[in-house]
Amino acid sequence: MTRHQFTLDEKIGIIGRLENGEKNSVISKEFGTSSSTISTIWKNRDTLKTMFQTTSLKAKRLRTAQHKNLEEAVLVWFKQQRLLNVPLSDPILQAKTDQLAEKMKIDNFKCSTSWIQRFRQRHNKIGLGKISGESSAVNTDICSNWLANVWSSLRAGYCDDDIYNADEAGLFFQINS
């Protein structure tokens, strides 16, 4: 039999099939793997289901942080900064992680670039930088009023095919082509 490394999505599919009463031997023959591999997936079903809800579907290995409390604290801080639209970068995240580790009295921990990369992967490749600069400053009441009163008069006499989005990137592309 050939060696097969299952993705998390495939493992959840196998668990579902086993829960529906399908036999282990049928599934193992279909995937060309041993029945003990399928049994191991079944044995770890609770962990796999939890990871399925919190991890990227393309993950092949279930990796967790060595310092789970620190990771949770960093994630809470990160989410708070996101709500405030604070731009973040890897060095800022690294410094804050080191600061939190010191407050939590975690000895011999120095946040590295690779730790930040793994942290971002474990949390579905969270992005850094500025989230929504212009859109967060827009007053929705003014927009609703403009759409209701001004847009209809501007649009009068034009077909849908005559209306284009002329944002800065689109204009720049047209100028350079």
Side-chain angles (χ1 to χ4, degrees), residues 2-177:
T2 59
R3 187 170 170 87
H4 184 93
Q5 192 172 26
F6 294 102
T7 63
L8 186 54
D9 194 30
E10 289 172 326
K11 290 176 183 179
I12 293 299
I14 290 169
I15 291 168
R17 289 171 67 178
L18 289 168
E19 286 175 339
N20 290 333
E22 206 167 327
K23 296 215 181 268
N24 181 325
S25 58
V26 172
I27 297 171
S28 64
K29 283 181 185 174
E30 181 182 325
F31 284 101
T33 187
S34 68
S35 60
S36 66
T37 301
I38 305 300
S39 296
T40 303
I41 292 171
W42 177 251
K43 182 180 79 171
N44 296 326
R45 67 186 172 275
D46 293 332
T47 306
L48 292 167
K49 285 180 179 180
T50 303
M51 293 302 286
F52 181 75
Q53 294 171 351
T54 60
T55 314
S56 171
L57 294 181
K58 294 181 181 174
K60 292 208 182 244
R61 292 188 185 149
L62 304 178
R63 295 183 176 139
T64 57
Q66 185 177 3
H67 304 287
K68 290 183 182 179
N69 293 340
L70 175 62
E71 178 137 343
E72 289 172 13
V74 172
L75 188 60
V76 166
W77 176 83
F78 178 83
K79 289 179 179 179
Q80 289 171 345
Q81 299 310 302
R82 274 292 174 235
L83 289 173
L84 299 172
N85 289 326
V86 174
L88 297 172
S89 64
D90 283 344
I92 292 171
L93 197 56
Q94 251 180 300
K96 187 60 179 183
T97 303
D98 283 335
Q99 185 182 35
L100 288 170
E102 190 176 314
K103 281 184 181 180
M104 297 173 84
K105 296 181 176 28
I106 299 174
D107 296 330
N108 299 326
F109 179 84
K110 178 73 175 146
C111 185
S112 63
T113 307
S114 59
W115 189 93
I116 296 294
Q117 286 176 336
R118 289 189 308 274
F119 170 79
R120 291 171 67 184
Q121 284 178 335
R122 282 190 294 269
H123 299 286
N124 294 324
K125 300 184 181 188
I126 57 175
L128 300 175
K130 199 170 186 179
I131 266 203
S132 56
E134 292 178 12
S135 66
S136 64
V138 173
N139 184 336
T140 55
D141 294 334
I142 293 172
C143 291
S144 300
N145 182 36
W146 187 87
L147 285 171
N149 300 322
V150 180
W151 175 243
S152 57
S153 63
L154 285 175
R155 179 164 203 262
Y158 293 101
C159 298
D160 287 344
D161 293 338
D162 295 333
I163 300 173
Y164 297 95
N165 179 9
D167 65 357
E168 296 165 13
L171 288 173
F172 184 72
F173 176 76
Q174 292 297 326
I175 290 171
N176 289 324
S177 56

